[in-house]
Amino acid sequence: MKLPTRGEHVYETYWLPLQDSLSNDELEQLMWLQLVLDGDDRVRRQDLYAAQQQRFERRGAASRTAIEGEIEGYIRELYRRGALFRRILHPEEEPDDSVRAPLHRLHTWQAQGTYPALMLLLDRRERGDLDSADTARAMSYIESFLVRRMMCRVPTNNLNRIFQAVPGQLPFDMPVADGLHQLLSAENRFRPDDDELREKIHKAPFYQYGRWHQRKMVLQRLEESYGHQPPLRAQTGSAPGQSPGDEPPHRRHRPLGREGDPRPGRRTRRSRHRAVARPAARSRTCGAEPGLATGPPGAGHAAPRHLDVLR
């Protein structure tokens, strides 16, 4: 028994509420995240319990009182960070609107690999190292990193390793958000630059890569950048306010056909011109976005219409 005198207090005050707020798998993940945040950037989830045991065995011949105090401190810190972890799992519990929005988008993206970086940001905010505005800005860099890599077809097999290393590699000589931007922009992080991104927007088959919910989120963010809040309509050629089912049968599911022409794929010169102009419009939008600039973040980028998702 590691807590002979404080066991009941620690259980009732910290451990029981923690068990009630997280599932067994989530609690195990939180314990792994705590190891990562405390500096063990190579520990694997399957090695969690061995790593925990080694952590407490390092105390060696310390007194029983000292060991008991250390274990209580560990569980108390786990309890504190559990509340932060719940905000990542359930973004609606985040009280600040500016932070809740990127948390919700990353949750929609299903970006579990980013948890070490997100936990670090929420933890540093709670400690007073950055405010909510900078927390949201740092999260937008994470979001941008994922979107750029998805659109440029960068393999995802090293994402977990990249984000697990963030707590131990974040620079200390600059603000947290700027340090994260610099870290994720390093050459060995494989973050596509602006030219590569623009080329992919022009030429790559967008609908053949990434998961459907990720593509949907990118399109929604593009729509929002033009000040359009309603959801994107399905690309069926329907007029505003008209559902595809209201169209005549010969026009359903023929978005590229000439109006009144039942043959699919027949396009007028005007429709072909629009198809060519559409990627150029996307490129202009990207070019006006401050986060796409190659200079340091926040260095005089003016953009009345911007996409946080591509910073």
Side-chain angles (χ1 to χ4, degrees), residues 28-306:
E28 182 179 289
Q29 191 169 19
L30 174 63
M31 295 169 69
W32 172 78
L33 285 168
Q34 176 131 315
L35 285 172
V36 174
L37 292 174
D38 289 347
D40 193 345
D41 62 353
R42 294 184 177 276
V43 63
R44 300 180 302 174
R45 285 239 358 223
Q46 56 264 41
D47 300 330
L48 169 64
Y49 293 104
Q52 292 283 15
Q53 186 176 7
Q54 291 175 4
R55 171 178 180 155
F56 293 117
E57 286 179 349
R58 293 193 192 106
R59 296 290 295 177
S63 67
R64 176 175 295 181
T65 302
I67 294 176
E68 189 172 13
E70 182 180 355
I71 294 176
E72 180 178 353
Y74 164 80
I75 297 176
R76 182 171 58 247
E77 184 71 354
L78 198 68
Y79 169 77
R80 183 186 71 83
R81 284 172 168 164
L84 304 180
F85 189 40
R86 276 195 59 88
R87 297 179 189 180
I88 297 174
L89 300 174
H90 308 281
E92 66 276 6
E93 296 183 7
E94 165 57 43
D96 188 277
D97 292 344
S98 65
V99 176
R100 188 187 315 120
L103 279 178
H104 178 73
R105 291 193 296 269
L106 289 167
H107 184 267
T108 301
W109 193 270
Q110 298 180 11
Q112 288 87 348
T114 66
Y115 286 178
L118 295 178
M119 281 290 292
L120 174 71
L121 294 174
L122 294 178
D123 189 65
R124 297 287 288 271
R125 182 183 64 163
E126 186 164 273
R127 296 176 186 273
D129 295 337
L130 71 166
D131 58 19
S132 291
D134 281 336
T135 302
R137 180 163 66 94
M139 289 180 179
S140 75
Y141 295 146
I142 296 174
E143 186 180 355
S144 164
F145 184 76
L146 297 175
V147 172
R148 282 174 176 259
R149 286 171 58 106
M150 184 273 281
M151 296 186 70
C152 294
R153 291 45 169 171
V154 179
T156 61
N157 55 346
N158 66 339
L159 275 178
N160 290 347
R161 186 166 61 253
I162 287 174
F163 285 107
Q164 187 173 343
V166 166
Q169 297 181 3
L170 192 70
F172 289 99
D173 57 348
M174 62 179 63
V176 174
D178 295 345
L180 181 63
H181 185 277
Q182 175 178 291
L183 186 63
L184 294 179
S185 300
E187 185 176 353
N188 61 350
R189 299 304 192 276
F190 305 104
R191 177 183 182 269
D193 61 19
D194 301 351
D195 292 338
E196 185 177 356
L197 180 62
R198 290 191 181 98
E199 182 182 3
K200 292 297 184 182
I201 290 174
H202 275 289
K203 300 179 180 179
F206 176 75
Y207 289 99
Q208 294 181 13
Y209 294 89
R211 300 175 181 177
W212 70 267
H213 58 274
Q214 295 170 347
R215 297 192 299 268
K216 177 182 176 182
M217 197 190 82
V218 171
L219 293 175
Q220 286 178 331
R221 296 288 284 151
L222 285 168
E223 184 87 351
E224 290 168 7
S225 75
Y226 285 92
H228 301 165
Q229 295 303 320
L232 288 165
R233 295 192 303 273
Q235 299 299 313
T236 59
S238 303
Q242 180 185 39
S243 68
D246 295 333
E247 295 181 342
H250 71 277
R251 290 193 58 195
R252 295 179 192 171
H253 308 299
R254 300 247 193 317
L256 300 180
R258 182 179 301 173
E259 186 168 355
D261 188 339
R263 291 173 293 177
R266 297 280 294 181
R267 295 189 290 178
T268 64
R269 180 179 302 173
R270 183 180 180 185
S271 66
R272 287 196 298 270
H273 172 73
R274 286 178 175 174
V276 172
R278 203 172 294 126
R282 293 198 199 106
S283 183
R284 287 197 301 272
T285 301
C286 294
E289 199 280 313
L292 283 172
T294 55
H301 301 296
R305 179 177 293 161
H306 66 277

Side-chain angles (χ1 to χ4, degrees), residues 3 6-16 71-72 75:
L3 295 168
R6 302 287 292 171
E8 184 175 352
H9 168 76
V10 170
Y11 178 77
E12 295 288 343
T13 307
Y14 306 121
W15 188 255
L16 185 58
I71 294 176
E72 180 178 353
I75 297 176

